Amino acid sequence: LLLKREILEKIGSLDDDYFLYFEDTDLSMRVRNLGYEIHYSDQAKVWHLNAGSSDGVGSSLHQYFQNRNRLIFFFRYGNWQVKLNVARVVFQLFTSQHYLDRKAALHFILHQWGKQPVI
C-alpha cells in the first residue's frame, strides 16, 4: 500500500474497530469517500498466507473476526438495503449452532469491537 501522508493525516490510520480483517478495506473506503482515486498494479506479485495471523482458515479467530468485521464494514458503508441484509445475517448468526457465530453477532450488536477474546 502506498499512500500520501496528507491523505493519511485526513483520514487517520487503520481503524481499531476491526482488529483483524477489513481494516484495509475500511481504509480504502475512507480514501475513496474523500474523493481520492485508488489504483493498483496488476503486475505486482504478493505471496500471502491466507489467515496467517489468525491460526489459519477456519480457526476460531478467523471465523469470529471475519463474521464480526464483515457486519461492521457493511453496516458502516452500506445503503439501507445492505443494512437490512446485515440485520438478516445477524439473525442467521444468532440462530447458528456455532458459538462463535453467535458471539460475533452479539459483539456486533453490543458494539464490542476491536480486539476481543474469542474463546
Side-chain angles (χ1 to χ4, degrees):
L1 170 69
L2 298 174
L3 189 63
K4 289 183 179 181
R5 181 180 176 158
E6 69 183 57
I7 297 172
L8 197 57
E9 288 172 348
K10 287 181 184 178
I11 65 168
S13 61
L14 297 174
D15 190 336
D16 291 336
D17 283 350
Y18 294 97
F19 180 63
L20 287 173
Y21 306 113
F22 282 89
E23 69 274 22
D24 54 340
T25 310
D26 173 80
L27 185 74
S28 296
M29 286 297 290
R30 288 185 282 141
V31 167
R32 195 179 89 179
N33 287 344
L34 278 179
Y36 294 100
E37 292 182 2
I38 297 174
H39 300 275
Y40 72 97
S41 170
D42 59 356
Q43 300 298 311
K45 302 281 188 231
V46 176
W47 285 265
H48 175 70
L49 179 59
N50 189 22
S53 298
S54 58
D55 299 329
V57 175
S59 71
S60 297
L61 282 173
H62 183 255
Q63 180 179 351
Y64 168 81
F65 284 108
Q66 278 284 346
N67 280 330
R68 192 209 56 194
N69 292 355
R70 185 177 295 123
L71 296 172
I72 295 168
F73 180 81
F74 286 106
F75 191 79
R76 187 173 281 175
Y77 294 105
N79 61 25
W80 69 271
Q81 292 166 316
V82 171
K83 289 179 176 159
L84 195 58
N85 196 41
V86 166
R88 183 185 59 78
V89 171
V90 167
F91 178 77
Q92 288 174 336
L93 292 172
F94 264 129
T95 59
S96 169
Q97 296 296 315
H98 200 286
Y99 165 72
L100 290 174
D101 290 345
R102 295 189 307 270
K103 187 172 187 175
L106 180 64
H107 283 182
F108 168 73
I109 296 276
L110 296 178
H111 207 270
Q112 290 180 322
W113 299 353
K115 186 175 182 181
Q116 296 293 326
V118 173
I119 304 293

